[in-house]
């Protein structure tokens, strides 16, 4: 059974930093492409970042609103993907979902982790 | 950038009746490999999203066969043959053909029981 369990997040001030992590199990993590998708309170879904598996070069991609501020990375030895968030803005507030991607997109989703950016 | 537009945004349906959601993209979603990267997701109240359909019409494992996807190029449809109470939630279409901008979701369609 595929499981994605997010941790981290919480409260940060504007301009601050936070990290969310996602521990994966139940599938071949090393070759999996992983993403982060967020959802602002009461709003729709917004893709944030994606990282390829090492066999595909480990390429990273970012949505325009977070490029230069967020970094996605992975530790294959721990089957974990990370999202490091710097220079946080109030509009970054929301639930952050970790996803395992194949067959054209996010096939499996974690339970989500709340990130709140507020002074 | 590609824009995904869903209609309607609100969909009241009587139990046992069919439902249909439309999704239109501003650009063709046919990729150079011949595949069309259009997916549908369901988000029940208080839950994480769940993928229902990938590559326009392929159901994910465990998805009831009352859900079906169709369409091509820029116009796509999600149909529910007979709505059940557990189908209440918000439905999103998503494209993965154009990079950038990356995965792009529609605004969401809220399905409720009439």
């Amino acid at each position: 059974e595929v499981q994605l369990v997010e941790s981290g997040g919480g409260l940060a001030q504007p301009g601050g930093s936070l990290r969310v992590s996602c521990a994966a199990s139940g599938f071949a993590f090393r070759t999996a492409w992983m993403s982060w998708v967020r959802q602002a309170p009461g709003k729709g879904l917004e893709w944030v970042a994606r990282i390829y598996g090492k066999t595909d070069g480990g390429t990273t991609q970012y949505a325009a609103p977070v490029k230069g501020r967020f970094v996605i990375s992975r530790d294959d030895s721990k089957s974990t993907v990370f999202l490091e968030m710097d220079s946080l803005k109030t509009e970054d507030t929301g639930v952050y979902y970790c996803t395992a991607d194949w067959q054209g997109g996010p096939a499996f989703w974690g339970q989500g982790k709340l990130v709140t950016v507020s002074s | 950038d590609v824009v995904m537009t869903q209609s309607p945004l609100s969909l009241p349906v009587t139990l046992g009746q069919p439902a249909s959601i439309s999704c239109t993209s501003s650009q063709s979603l046919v990729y150079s490999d011949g595949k069309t990267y259009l997916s549908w997701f369901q988000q029940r109240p208080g839950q994480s999203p769940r993928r229902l359909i990938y590559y326009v019409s392929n159901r994910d494992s465990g998805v009831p066969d009352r859900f079906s996807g169709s369409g091509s190029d820029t116009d796509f449809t999600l149909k529910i043959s007979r709505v059940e109470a557990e189908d209440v939630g918000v439905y999103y279409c998503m494209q993965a053909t154009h990079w950038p901008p990356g995965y792009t979701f529609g605004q969401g369609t809220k399905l409720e029981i009439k």
Side-chain angles (χ1 to χ4, degrees), chain A residues 35 37 39 43-47 50 61-63 97 99 101-107 109-112, chain B residues 37-39 41 43 47-51 54-55 60 92 94-96 99 101-107:
Chain A
S35 285
V37 176
Q39 186 170 36
K43 301 297 184 183
L45 301 171
E46 180 186 26
W47 170 75
R50 185 170 75 171
Q61 296 164 308
Y62 298 93
Y97 295 101
T99 74
D101 303 352
W102 58 78
Q103 292 172 325
W109 297 62
Q111 84 284 0
Chain B
Y37 290 81
L38 187 284
S39 301
F41 297 83
Q43 187 174 31
Q47 294 189 12
S48 301
R50 164 200 184 194
R51 194 174 69 179
Y54 61 95
Y55 297 155
D60 273 280
Y92 298 91
M94 185 208 78
Q95 74 86 29
W99 288 81
Y103 297 140
T104 312
F105 294 89
Q107 319 97 299

Side-chain angles (χ1 to χ4, degrees), chain B:
Chain B
D1 283 352
V2 62
V3 176
M4 305 298 290
T5 304
Q6 291 182 226
S7 65
L9 298 184
S10 179
L11 183 57
V13 184
T14 302
L15 285 173
Q17 293 300 301
S20 179
I21 301 171
S22 173
C23 176
T24 301
S25 62
S26 60
Q27 301 175 41
S28 173
L29 297 187
V30 181
Y31 190 56
S32 55
D33 63 2
K35 293 179 181 175
T36 301
Y37 290 81
L38 187 284
S39 301
W40 288 96
F41 297 83
Q42 174 195 61
Q43 187 174 31
R44 291 170 172 156
Q47 294 189 12
S48 301
R50 164 200 184 194
R51 194 174 69 179
L52 301 174
I53 302 284
Y54 61 95
Y55 297 155
V56 179
S57 60
N58 294 271
R59 268 190 307 276
D60 273 280
S61 177
V63 175
D65 60 7
R66 64 178 182 276
F67 290 93
S68 64
S70 63
S72 63
D73 199 26
T74 61
D75 294 294
F76 306 92
T77 302
L78 176 70
K79 291 183 179 177
I80 309 173
S81 58
R82 293 174 305 279
V83 169
E84 298 188 4
E86 65 178 18
D87 300 335
V88 166
V90 181
Y91 292 79
Y92 298 91
C93 62
M94 185 208 78
Q95 74 86 29
T97 296
H98 297 280
W99 288 81
Y103 297 140
T104 312
F105 294 89
Q107 319 97 299
T109 294
K110 187 173 184 178
L111 186 149
E112 61 179 24
I113 303 302
K114 198 185 296 183

Side-chain angles (χ1 to χ4, degrees), chain A residues 13-108:
Chain A
Q13 292 190 333
S17 300
L18 281 175
R19 186 171 86 159
V20 285
S21 304
C22 171
S25 61
F27 62 98
F29 182 81
R30 290 179 180 272
T31 57
W33 294 14
M34 304 294 293
S35 285
W36 289 94
V37 176
R38 68 185 179 183
Q39 186 170 36
K43 301 297 184 183
L45 301 171
E46 180 186 26
W47 170 75
V48 173
R50 185 170 75 171
I51 186 166
Y52 293 5
K54 288 290 195 304
T55 53
D56 293 308
T59 300
T60 57
Q61 296 164 308
Y62 298 93
V66 308
K67 198 169 187 178
R69 300 188 299 121
F70 289 13
V71 175
I72 186 172
S73 61
R74 61 192 298 156
D75 183 342
D76 290 346
S77 68
K78 297 180 180 177
S79 296
T80 300
V81 63
F82 306 96
L83 185 68
E84 192 76 43
M85 300 177 285
D86 295 324
S87 303
L88 283 163
K89 304 176 181 180
T90 55
E91 53 263 41
D92 295 319
T93 293
V95 174
Y96 283 69
Y97 295 101
C98 167
T99 74
D101 303 352
W102 58 78
Q103 292 172 325
F108 296 96

